[in-house]
Amino acid sequence: MDLSWLNSLNEQQRAAATFGDGPLLIIAGAGTGKTNTLAHRVAHLIATGIKPSRILLLTFTRRAAAEMLRRVDHLLAAARAAIHDGKQSGISCRVWGGTFHAIANRLLHIHAKSLALGDNFTVVDRSDAEDLLNTVRSELGFDKAKARFPRKGTCMSIYSRCVNAQEPIENSLKAHFPWCSDYPDELKRLFKRYVDRKQEQNILDYDDLLLYWYHLMQDDNLAADLRERFDAVLVDEYQDTNSLQAQILQRLRPDGRGLTVVGDDAQSIYSFRAATVHNILGFPKTYPAATVLKLEENYRSVQPILDAANVVIGLCPNRYNKDLFSHRLSQQKPRLVNLLDEDQQNDYLIKRILEHLEAGIALRKQAVLFRAAHHSDSLEVELARRNIPFVKYGGLKFLEASHVKDALAILRVADNPRDTTSAFRILQFIDGIGPAHARRAIEHLATHRYDLRSWAGYTAPAAAAGQWPDFTSLLSLLGGDRSSLSLPDQIAAVRKFYTPILERRYDQAQIRKRDLEQLEQISSNFASRSAMLTELALDPPNSTQNLAGPPLREEDYLILSTIHSAKGCEWDAVYVIHAADGNIPSDMAAGDDEQIEEERRLFYVALTRARDFLEICFPLKYYHKKWSSSDRHSMAQLTRFLPESILDRFERVSLNARSAPDQPALQQPASDIRKKIGAMWS
């Protein structure tokens, strides 16, 4: 077979793409063409006879899976490979590709009866899950405890940590939530009641998708069925997997045959999401027959930046040894800039950003990176004052906007009448219906076997007389599989009913209406209402117009970003600010050696985002915010990740002293001041 289409790969990439069917770990350094290599491996598997439908590709974003499979189609079409089932065009659409959670949802629907889920289970997003947990928290009286009990968001984080890390609640509290360590028994009661409530309502939260998949794999017959379904399993970003995901993979591929995982232990930075670097470090121990291949040729950065990054990560005691190299040469070392304080750091940054702009590097090709979101506060003020446009990564997500959640809650109840969390929300849209009336209406629905048409016979409060008939008619129209309306028409009916409510409940109603119009438009992309609700929970849009400011009329803007948000991105010029111990590493993540090493990896990720220019800024003084108008300050130390032994990889720049205007020469004192001062104590 002609494999000339593999010639675009370098030697290391080609070895990884054409490897046999034994367990394979590809250690892909930053900027080494990981996605391209994995796409070539999928294409090679198909070209050498494996049916696309027998390939499972697991990623951490839906977009990553779609991009990889798009490349697979392009490669196979270009190669004119002889595929055994004939079709060349769009062959990758038959690959099982997607996120862990999306694949889990697909498998749970296939095995729903075996798992006692039924066909109409609903997947709720994090916010709705928190609301349900908070309801249970109140029912148990924890909101009235004498001592402060953890809030719903913290409770959900603890629950999620225990599920994904597969660790006892006592261990989670001690290591990650020490301020909650007095409540293990209460939290167990809370989580038990929360699980019972989800099962009563036939709903799953985000963590349940993996948890049910994990338990599905504990059944020998069901596990055997899944193993038989796939000949090859490929996992992207393996360093970001948690314990639950690793155990699922072990049951799916006990001997590792046909398993390929790709990742970089040096970029494992998500332990706060329960990801563990031990999965990738321990892969050869889990699969003794495993082969480890490395990708070390970097296509992003100039060599001096890689020299600096290599020595920084080289101080990590537990890692896969690799030495990134590039054919992009430069004489410019990364700069380590010593500054007096945060104000001087801002002045210096803006000066350098504008110099690079004048040299032809657009603002959007420059990024300022920082460990914590608040580290850019004063810089944002100064950028605004100097009229330099910028965008900061972050903000309110589409599905977190209250008006969008309201509309989706109506659809969720129509899809699953047992979803009493959503029912409780939408009932209180109606005038005169508060929590007590809402609970009675839900009890009425339950006694009528969750037939939404039964609400027409419920006696609503007098204040609800004008809305209740329209409300019950809408839900009867939408209910279950009986609706004859297309999905866009269903959302149009929801919008018609909900718009007057939106106008009363929220300000900026016109802006918020656009989000509901957008929801109606995107609904045509889904096969069913259930599919849309599930997909939006698994892969939500990233932004909303809810809190949008004036339209951005600038064609160019500077990027401000936390280092976590910058992973996977690259810019021509990168400025890492506040490189002081306590900021990098964060004093909130310095509790043990494992946390420190993750902070080192985070710093490494920041360094490897830069293509041509890298500057690390270290302010010496930090003024105490409590006394913002005084001179109280602390003296900082340079981050421990840049010890003296490796500073030869950097160009040292010192701006500690502020320049002062010329002063007239001092005159000779008329008398001996020293004698006068001494005479005070004679």
Side-chain angles (χ1 to χ4, degrees):
M1 178 180 292
D2 180 16
L3 297 179
S4 60
W5 53 281
L6 292 166
N7 291 343
S8 62
L9 303 179
N10 65 42
E11 185 177 341
Q12 291 178 328
Q13 291 172 332
R14 184 176 178 125
T18 59
F19 187 79
D21 68 350
L24 173 64
L25 168 61
I26 303 172
I27 298 295
T32 57
K34 166 183 68 70
T35 300
N36 192 40
T37 303
L38 195 55
H40 275 77
R41 178 148 182 76
V42 174
H44 184 263
L45 291 171
I46 296 172
T48 51
I50 294 182
K51 292 182 178 180
S53 60
R54 297 187 62 78
I55 296 174
L56 174 61
L57 173 63
L58 294 163
T59 64
F60 276 83
T61 67
R62 187 166 67 173
R63 185 175 179 183
E67 169 62 17
M68 223 170 287
L69 295 178
R70 185 191 64 79
R71 294 193 192 191
V72 170
D73 271 336
H74 176 75
L75 290 169
L76 292 175
R80 301 183 184 279
I83 306 302
H84 63 281
D85 58 3
K87 292 187 178 179
Q88 279 292 121
S89 174
I91 196 165
S92 71
C93 67
R94 281 167 276 163
V95 171
W96 279 61
T99 66
F100 273 90
H101 293 84
I103 296 297
N105 178 67
R106 188 173 172 183
L107 291 172
L108 295 188
H109 274 96
I110 292 173
H111 296 282
K113 290 184 179 179
S114 300
L115 297 169
L117 281 173
D119 295 329
N120 67 334
F121 67 85
T122 304
V123 181
V124 297
D125 63 19
R126 169 81 178 219
S127 180
D128 285 332
E130 285 185 8
D131 288 344
L132 176 58
L133 187 63
N134 196 46
T135 300
V136 175
R137 179 177 175 273
S138 297
E139 289 173 0
L140 292 172
F142 294 154
D143 58 338
K144 298 179 178 63
K146 292 182 180 179
R148 181 172 65 96
F149 193 78
R151 306 280 293 189
K152 65 177 182 179
T154 303
C155 291
M156 182 55 71
S157 295
I158 296 169
Y159 173 83
S160 184
R161 176 88 203 179
C162 293
V163 169
N164 288 288
Q166 290 288 281
E167 63 186 15
I169 191 168
E170 291 82 2
N171 294 7
S172 285
L173 294 178
K174 181 179 179 180
H176 304 283
F177 307 92
W179 62 94
C180 305
S181 57
D182 292 337
Y183 303 106
D185 294 334
E186 291 88 343
L187 287 167
K188 287 178 184 177
R189 285 178 59 204
L190 174 64
F191 297 155
K192 175 65 170 65
R193 180 76 66 88
Y194 170 63
V195 169
D196 290 344
R197 190 60 54 81
K198 285 188 294 180
Q199 292 178 355
E200 290 168 8
Q201 299 181 20
N202 203 27
I203 62 176
L204 305 183
D205 63 27
Y206 201 61
D207 299 316
D208 284 332
L209 292 168
L210 293 185
L211 193 58
Y212 272 80
W213 188 4
Y214 167 79
H215 284 290
L216 186 155
M217 298 304 297
Q218 306 313 304
D219 183 292
D220 290 337
N221 292 328
L222 295 176
D225 178 71
L226 258 66
R227 290 188 201 114
E228 180 60 30
R229 187 181 291 273
F230 303 113
D231 292 328
V233 178
L234 302 97
V235 185
D236 190 20
E237 303 285 10
Y238 189 67
Q239 79 280 351
D240 294 335
T241 54
N242 58 44
S243 178
L244 197 58
Q245 291 162 328
Q247 290 181 62
I248 289 169
L249 288 171
Q250 281 180 253
R251 291 286 292 171
L252 192 59
R253 280 289 176 271
D255 60 358
R257 187 169 177 268
L259 177 63
T260 299
V261 302
V262 184
D264 183 6
D265 57 298
Q267 297 186 71
S268 178
I269 60 174
Y270 293 120
S271 67
F272 64 91
R273 297 179 186 166
T276 172
V277 70
H278 298 296
N279 286 346
I280 193 168
L281 291 177
F283 188 84
K285 185 176 180 180
T286 303
Y287 303 97
T291 298
V292 179
L293 300 179
K294 300 175 186 177
L295 305 183
E296 297 172 297
E297 183 175 348
N298 179 284
Y299 294 93
R300 174 186 300 154
S301 305
V302 294
Q303 190 60 47
I305 291 176
L306 297 179
D307 291 338
N310 285 335
V311 295
V312 166
I313 201 63
L315 297 174
C316 180
N318 298 312
R319 67 188 183 92
Y320 289 101
N321 293 323
K322 60 181 179 298
D323 193 21
L324 298 183
F325 67 91
S326 172
H327 295 298
R328 300 187 64 233
L329 305 180
S330 171
Q331 297 300 313
Q332 176 61 60
K333 291 182 178 181
R335 303 180 100 196
L336 175 59
V337 187
N338 293 331
L339 300 141
L340 181 65
D341 55 24
E342 194 171 15
D343 289 341
Q344 193 178 59
Q345 178 177 255
N346 293 341
D347 290 340
Y348 175 78
L349 279 171
I350 291 174
K351 174 176 175 289
R352 291 293 291 158
I353 289 164
L354 294 178
E355 285 176 355
H356 279 138
L357 179 63
E358 291 300 317
I361 302 178
L363 289 177
R364 64 182 176 276
K365 293 185 179 180
Q366 303 184 56
V368 180
L369 305 184
F370 33 86
R371 173 63 179 85
H374 65 84
H375 287 167
S376 68
D377 287 352
S378 67
L379 176 61
E380 292 173 42
V381 172
E382 193 62 19
L383 289 169
R385 190 179 72 81
R386 301 200 195 186
N387 199 30
I388 297 174
F390 65 89
V391 170
K392 185 174 181 179
Y393 283 179
L396 189 66
K397 296 189 187 311
F398 183 80
L399 296 187
E400 292 170 357
S402 295
H403 55 291
V404 177
K405 289 177 63 63
D406 290 347
L408 290 177
I410 296 173
L411 295 173
R412 285 201 179 99
V413 171
D415 209 56
N416 176 14
R418 293 177 181 270
D419 184 353
T420 55
T421 302
S422 295
F424 191 72
R425 182 186 188 104
I426 66 174
L427 282 164
Q428 294 180 80
F429 296 168
I430 311 301
D431 293 339
I433 295 186
H437 266 298
R439 279 190 283 271
R440 286 197 287 272
I442 291 171
E443 289 169 4
H444 176 89
L445 184 65
T447 59
H448 289 79
R449 299 184 178 182
Y450 294 98
D451 185 343
L452 291 171
R453 292 171 295 187
S454 69
W455 264 344
Y458 175 72
T459 304
Q467 294 172 287
W468 189 253
D470 291 339
F471 175 72
T472 56
S473 295
L474 173 66
L475 288 173
S476 294
L477 179 67
L478 300 176
D481 296 325
R482 298 185 301 272
S483 178
S484 60
L485 297 178
S486 68
L487 186 51
D489 286 343
Q490 291 181 45
I491 297 176
V494 170
R495 283 178 53 216
K496 181 179 178 181
F497 167 78
Y498 177 70
T499 295
I501 297 169
L502 180 144
E503 291 171 342
R504 289 198 311 272
R505 287 166 64 97
Y506 302 109
D507 56 3
Q508 296 180 311
Q510 286 303 120
I511 293 176
R512 295 172 189 265
K513 288 178 187 177
R514 294 177 199 158
D515 286 327
L516 302 185
E517 292 169 5
Q518 185 181 13
L519 190 64
E520 183 178 334
Q521 290 168 6
I522 66 174
S523 67
S524 59
N525 296 322
F526 298 96
S528 68
R529 183 173 62 206
S530 296
M532 185 187 77
L533 292 170
T534 300
E535 286 296 321
L536 288 178
L538 294 177
D539 189 26
N542 201 43
S543 61
T544 173
Q545 309 222 10
N546 185 18
L547 297 178
L552 185 65
R553 294 187 174 87
E554 296 284 350
E555 62 179 12
D556 198 11
Y557 44 83
L558 179 70
I559 304 297
L560 307 182
S561 175
T562 62
I563 302 172
H564 281 102
S565 295
K567 186 173 179 289
C569 301
E570 61 180 60
W571 296 275
D572 290 356
V574 168
Y575 314 88
V576 182
I577 61 174
H578 294 295
D581 233 68
N583 293 331
I584 301 176
S586 168
D587 55 3
M588 301 295 290
D592 56 41
D593 290 342
E594 283 203 6
Q595 290 182 333
I596 290 294
E597 290 311 314
E598 177 159 332
E599 292 289 301
R600 188 193 309 276
R601 296 192 294 268
L602 188 63
F603 186 53
Y604 171 81
V605 166
L607 304 187
T608 53
R609 299 309 95 194
R611 288 176 47 80
D612 301 306
F613 300 98
L614 171 64
E615 306 206 18
I616 301 169
C617 296
F618 165 53
L620 186 62
K621 289 183 181 180
Y622 283 91
Y623 290 94
H624 297 191
K625 301 297 184 186
K626 183 178 178 182
W627 296 281
S628 57
S629 60
S630 79
D631 290 328
R632 290 196 180 197
H633 65 274
S634 300
M635 301 298 285
Q637 295 184 15
L638 180 64
T639 173
R640 70 189 70 181
F641 303 141
L642 293 177
E644 190 67 35
S645 60
I646 68 172
L647 292 185
D648 61 330
R649 301 299 200 282
F650 296 85
E651 176 189 343
R652 307 286 293 274
V653 179
S654 182
L655 298 179
N656 279 346
R658 292 191 189 277
S659 56
D662 293 338
Q663 300 290 337
L666 293 174
Q667 300 296 319
Q668 186 70 22
S671 58
D672 192 336
I673 294 174
R674 295 171 68 186
K675 286 184 178 180
K676 288 183 178 181
I677 293 174
M680 290 174 63
W681 312 106
S682 298

